[in-house]
Structure formats: structure tokens, C-alpha cells
Amino acid sequence: PNLKTINGQIFMLGMKSNTNKELQKEWNEMGEAAFVIEPLETVDEEKNLDTKTALKRLLDKWMETLKPWGERGYHKPVAEQ
């Protein structure tokens, strides 16, 4: 799978340049070992000609399923984005 986005986020956190200030602050305070960053699901690029749309659908699905904001994560609710 293409892990550019995950690797990019980890790199930015390590360089103290992540745009999510709350996540960056806690990463700095607690360190990398306190976090789990992993893919939840992957897209088979050979079966999905429109990978961008497939990834957007998965993002929407997981945002709705996990609701990763407030005490549960660092995202903003979909209505606020």
C-alpha cells in the first residue's frame, strides 16, 4: 500500500511541523511511543481505477465509524471541516 500520507504525518510530527497543533503538542509532550498510527483499511489500486474517490469514501466511512474528535482523537467533526 501507498503509505506516503502516514509517513509524511510521522515525519512532520518528528520535525515539530505538523499543522494539527493539538496533536503536535501532545506528540512533543508524550513522545512517539505514546501513539499508534496505522492504516485502517487499504485500497487495491488494480481494482479501483479512481483511487482518489475510493480513498475519500474510506475516509468518510472511518470518520463516521470512529468519530475521532474530542477525547477520541485530533480531528474536527465533519460538519466543522
Side-chain angles (χ1 to χ4, degrees):
N2 182 346
L3 301 176
K4 272 193 308 191
T5 301
I6 290 175
N7 292 337
Q9 291 295 317
I10 294 169
F11 176 79
M12 286 190 299
L13 288 163
M15 298 300 294
K16 298 180 169 55
S17 63
N18 195 283
T19 57
N20 185 318
K21 300 302 179 199
E22 184 180 352
L23 173 59
Q24 184 67 66
K25 177 181 178 283
E26 292 191 0
W27 181 278
N28 296 344
E29 291 171 356
M30 295 186 268
E32 182 176 356
F35 293 84
V36 175
I37 300 174
E38 62 189 4
L40 297 172
E41 196 167 345
T42 59
V43 173
D44 184 341
E45 293 182 45
E46 292 181 14
K47 292 181 182 176
N48 289 284
L49 298 177
D50 187 357
T51 304
K52 186 174 182 178
T53 299
L55 288 170
K56 174 72 171 107
R57 285 187 186 132
L58 287 177
L59 175 62
D60 292 345
K61 169 188 159 182
W62 285 107
M63 291 292 281
E64 180 61 31
T65 300
L66 298 175
K67 297 179 180 14
W69 45 81
E71 293 293 317
R72 298 174 58 105
Y74 297 93
H75 295 277
K76 293 181 180 176
V78 175
E80 292 181 25
Q81 293 182 6

